[in-house]
Amino acid sequence: MTQHARQSGHFGRTTVGLALAITILLLASPAAAQNASNATLARVLVLGTGGTIAGQASARAGNAYDSGKVSSADLIAAVPGMDKLARISAEQISSIGSQDMNDKVWFDLARRIRAAIDSNEVDGIVITHGTDTMEETAFFLQNVIDTDLPVVLVGSMRPSTAIGADGPANLYEAMRVASAPEARGRGVLVVLNDTIHGARWVTKTNTTSVETFRSPDAGPVGYVDTGSLRFLQPAAPAKGAKLKLPEAPPLPRVDIIYSHANMDAAPIEDAVKRGAKGIVLAGVGDGNSSKAAIDALAAAAKQGVVVVRASRVGSGFVNRNVEVEDDKLGFAVSLDLNPQKARVLLELLIANGVTDPKAVQQAYGATP
Ligand code: GLU
């Protein structure tokens, strides 16, 4: 992307306002949008959900901003050169900060993506999204969307009105990935800060840095900038059956219980009382917890609550039957999935009727 596009002023409110008129002309009519570009370009559907990438400076003091104020169509129109990458259409699914991401938006996204793929409308999908829960949405979609086409989530750490806004470059690079044949067959991807991550491995690691996304156990799957797109490995064929999306939200309730020193059984007993169908332990170390907590989890498992041990550590694989007797107590382990992604998978498994600990373990991955 050009220097011009990287300057925050060109992505500010004035440009966004001017761009709005152009965008309405271009995007109000799908035919007009398609004529605007070369018919050989990939067709990419952009689905907006909100987030900081769509954030604007707030009237509140300091560097406060409000998420999800700018539509995805406006975001696209404010980035020069996008029309050279793909034939782009844009739709708004929601306008929320991703701290408010929820089952309804997930279902709406999954259904729209499936419909676009089934009707051969698209060659790739870009989803604009807040970074806070981006990894959860990416992993949810990875589990319910069966396609080789690129599905790429993108966000930014700085709002569109900030000095040095990172949204324009990120959006341009996400479009580059979504329109590239070599991005096919790689599952759902996350693109930020010139880096491409896979949905299973990516996680947000820094509260404010533009270099926040990392894949601690696997590393990135590739790199992208305005001049190049590089994947580090050949695409791997999709493996494993996808999970069925239930008829309607909500997904079954699964609570994450965070383990810590001096932990008692109360949070686990409360979760069971509140009707949790599953519990993910964000355990200390290798997914461990106090004797009181492990005993309470064992009691919950006996009552039919599905228990999965994950770790609060941030990297590494949780091992079965090392310090905790998983076979005896009826627990599964999340392996490399962090607690928030282990929760997404458990919600989907329970919704699909998979509750037997051995079958649940199989879904998280084979253990040595
Ligand atoms: N809370 C915002 C969100 O997730 C901030 C994070 C961001 O988008 O970068 O939508």
Side-chain angles (χ1 to χ4, degrees), residues 71-273:
S71 74
S72 55
D74 291 352
L75 292 175
I76 295 159
V79 182
M82 296 277 274
D83 58 341
K84 306 267 184 317
L85 292 179
R87 285 176 283 161
I88 303 168
S89 53
E91 293 172 21
Q92 206 64 30
I93 299 287
S94 65
S95 295
I96 56 174
S98 75
Q99 63 274 21
D100 287 321
M101 190 46 62
N102 56 70
D103 290 356
K104 182 186 177 310
V105 177
W106 278 357
F107 276 61
D108 289 349
L109 270 177
R111 287 176 182 144
R112 183 65 190 102
I113 294 168
R114 280 182 174 179
I117 291 167
D118 290 349
S119 61
N120 188 25
E121 276 174 61
V122 293
D123 302 302
I125 305 267
V126 167
I127 301 165
T128 58
H129 197 291
T131 56
D132 287 352
T133 60
M134 185 179 285
E135 66 203 68
E136 289 160 68
T137 300
F139 190 61
F140 168 79
L141 294 174
Q142 169 123 314
N143 279 286
V144 298
I145 303 288
D146 199 2
T147 183
D148 271 357
L149 297 182
V151 176
V152 180
L153 281 90
V154 65
S156 73
M157 292 300 287
R158 298 174 184 153
S160 63
T161 46
I163 296 169
D166 51 334
N170 290 342
L171 190 54
Y172 186 92
E173 290 172 358
M175 188 60 64
R176 212 178 138 81
V177 174
S179 57
E182 57 269 45
R184 292 184 175 195
R186 296 177 183 277
V188 176
L189 301 170
V190 165
V191 171
L192 254 95
N193 198 41
D194 302 345
T195 312
I196 311 166
H197 293 272
R200 175 151 191 137
W201 305 292
V202 67
T203 189
K204 185 173 181 178
T205 65
N206 189 287
T207 52
T208 54
S209 168
V210 294
E211 193 187 353
T212 189
F213 280 102
R214 291 176 191 266
S215 298
D217 294 312
V221 297
Y223 297 96
V224 57
D225 59 32
T226 51
S228 65
L229 170 59
R230 292 186 178 87
F231 285 100
L232 302 177
Q233 302 284 344
K239 54 176 182 209
K242 294 285 174 180
L243 289 160
K244 201 168 159 283
L245 191 67
E247 283 298 302
L251 292 165
R253 183 182 182 114
V254 174
D255 287 351
I256 298 174
I257 305 288
Y258 200 92
S259 188
H260 51 83
N262 202 28
M263 173 122 176
D264 66 17
I268 295 156
E269 290 167 354
D270 288 349
V272 176
K273 271 189 219 139

